[in-house]
Amino acid sequence: MKIKTAIAAEKGAPLTIIDAQLDEPKANEVLVKVVASGICHTDAVGRDGGMLSPFPVALGHEGAGIVEKVGSSVQTVQPGDHVVVSFSYCGHCDNCLAGHPVMCTHFNELNLEGANYDGTHRLHTIDGDDISVFLGQSSFSNYIVSDQHNLVKVDPDVDLRLLGPLGCGIQTGAGTVLNYIHPKFGESIAVFGTGAVGLSAIMAAKIVGMDHIIAVDIFDKRLDLAKELGATEVINSKNEDVEKKIREIIAKGVDYAIDTTGVSPVIKNAIHVLKPAGDCVLVGVGGEITLNVMSDILLEGKNLTSVLEGDSVPQIFIPQMVDYYKRGLFPFDKMIKFFDFDQINEAFAASKNGSVLKPVLVL
């Protein structure tokens, strides 16, 4: 079938909406009519050549839509179901079977190498050339074919346009707290960076009932929203000494720190504000960092770890987040601004300059 999809034709190029050819779903696959798709920093990294996906690549990986057709082996969804589309995983490796699909042995090949689950392609140019799929979905398209492992059935009574970002960015922040850290009531956390991922972590920390939820950023507007969503203290690191300020709030240091920025000096701040035996979790896309292993980590028994996608099982965790939202405990809609599909490059620009926390394209 002929569809519309947004592709990056070459490294760093603006996205272009083109006509493309989409094949029928195979036995384990599902045809989804996309209603909306969030824009995530990972899409910008993919556009700019920071992922493995060969060009041209059809981007988008926070899709939400309605099932139109299912393959003969699909049992998890049926036509008419509302679904969020998340990352792809094999479902049968040791890590998948242990409940950690984001650590799937085949994660990179299924999500970042450009082919579908079986190594072939469903998406092509009108001339028949293959187009790389992104995280098993390429949801900047009005229709997609995706493996059943990507799909999460969601409550049809909730506005489907809102739900796509639960498939990646929001899942990453909230899941890092609720699925990976597992904090206790009354413990403390510092969240560095209050974009969509950081704010999702803050909302999750509030759900748990953490005593101190400290938000760190350089934009007062974001910090104001962090306060509204659950931060107990906020620090503008452009104006204040973060390490000194956090030690004034909690002299011994925080139990946990999450870095969403990927910025090396910020990561070092996050490590330094931990109490002895505290945990710093990295979730932001970053580069090199130099640490003194003895003084920064070892002498106080601190832990430095990383996590993808909030260590979530999407089919379990995304419906939980929807339920928290319905109960007024997880108001992630406050971060979202809608854009029309043809405004895709404007939406990317708004995300980059920080004027919009979570752009969502309405297809």
Side-chain angles (χ1 to χ4, degrees):
M1 64 185 294
K2 184 183 286 188
I3 67 164
K4 296 284 187 181
T5 189
I7 67 164
E10 57 186 18
K11 181 178 179 179
L15 299 191
T16 305
I17 299 173
I18 65 167
D19 291 326
Q21 187 67 32
L22 184 66
D23 295 342
E24 288 287 304
K26 294 193 175 182
N28 58 311
E29 294 175 336
V30 179
L31 175 68
V32 178
K33 180 179 181 180
V34 180
V35 170
S37 180
I39 290 176
C40 176
H41 179 59
T42 304
D43 292 306
V45 175
R47 176 199 62 193
D48 296 337
M51 295 295 185
L52 303 173
S53 306
F55 293 97
V57 55
L59 294 171
H61 66 285
E62 292 184 342
I66 300 171
V67 174
E68 291 227 338
K69 184 184 294 186
V70 301
S72 59
S73 300
V74 174
Q75 298 181 350
T76 54
V77 295
Q78 60 186 4
D81 284 346
H82 286 204
V83 292
V84 167
V85 196
S86 192
F87 60 87
S88 189
Y89 57 93
C90 75
H92 54 73
C93 71
D94 290 348
N95 289 336
C96 285
L97 294 175
H100 303 284
V102 76
M103 301 176 193
C104 174
T105 303
H106 305 285
F107 186 90
N108 284 347
E109 64 190 80
L110 294 177
N111 289 279
L112 302 176
E113 293 185 0
N116 285 66
Y117 190 94
D118 65 355
T120 63
H121 292 76
R122 303 294 166 272
L123 190 59
H124 317 277
T125 67
I126 294 300
D127 294 330
D129 296 325
D130 293 337
I131 299 173
S132 291
V133 67
F134 197 61
L135 271 81
Q137 54 175 292
S138 294
S139 57
F140 297 157
S141 309
N142 57 346
Y143 287 89
I144 63 171
V145 166
S146 191
D147 186 82
Q148 62 180 330
H149 288 116
N150 291 72
L151 302 179
V152 181
K153 185 177 177 180
V154 292
D155 188 339
D157 293 331
V158 179
D159 185 351
L160 191 53
R161 298 176 305 161
L162 294 171
L163 299 185
L166 297 179
C168 184
I170 293 175
Q171 174 173 247
T172 295
T176 298
V177 174
L178 298 176
N179 301 327
Y180 187 77
I181 290 176
H182 297 294
K184 299 181 181 68
F185 177 86
E187 289 188 319
S188 57
I189 191 169
V191 178
F192 289 79
T194 55
V197 174
L199 291 173
S200 299
I202 286 167
M203 288 186 283
K206 182 181 180 182
I207 289 172
V208 173
M210 300 190 77
D211 193 16
H212 289 281
I213 305 169
I214 304 169
V216 182
D217 207 307
I218 61 173
F219 297 108
D220 287 330
K221 184 178 179 181
R222 289 189 176 195
L223 292 171
D224 289 342
L225 182 55
K227 192 83 171 179
E228 180 182 343
L229 294 179
T232 56
E233 295 91 8
V234 298
I235 301 171
N236 187 319
S237 57
K238 188 166 60 176
N239 304 326
E240 297 185 88
D241 183 324
V242 175
E243 295 182 26
K244 179 180 178 182
K245 185 67 177 179
I246 289 180
R247 293 292 178 174
E248 289 175 359
I249 297 168
I250 310 174
K252 66 180 180 180
V254 294
D255 295 289
Y256 307 98
I258 295 176
D259 175 73
T260 72
T261 70
V263 177
S264 297
V266 177
I267 294 171
K268 295 184 79 168
N269 285 155
I271 295 169
H272 292 164
V273 302
L274 290 172
K275 72 175 188 180
D279 295 287
C280 177
V281 184
L282 307 181
V283 301
V285 177
E288 294 184 1
I289 182 171
T290 300
L291 295 173
N292 185 307
V293 174
M294 181 64 77
S295 61
D296 289 333
I297 302 291
L298 191 59
L299 281 179
E300 292 189 328
K302 295 177 179 178
N303 302 295
L304 179 62
T305 60
S306 64
V307 64
L308 291 173
E309 301 285 359
D311 197 21
S312 302
V313 179
Q315 288 74 14
I316 296 173
F317 189 56
I318 289 174
Q320 289 175 345
M321 289 190 288
V322 173
D323 184 60
Y324 285 137
Y325 169 72
K326 289 173 64 179
R327 292 157 57 190
L329 300 174
F330 194 65
F332 67 90
D333 58 320
K334 293 180 182 291
M335 302 187 292
I336 288 175
K337 180 177 179 180
F338 294 118
F339 290 80
D340 292 333
F341 190 24
D342 61 5
Q343 296 175 300
I344 187 167
N345 289 306
E346 293 92 328
F348 268 84
S351 178
K352 182 177 181 180
N353 67 32
S355 61
V356 177
L357 287 167
K358 177 53 70 173
V360 172
L361 299 174
V362 178
L363 277 298

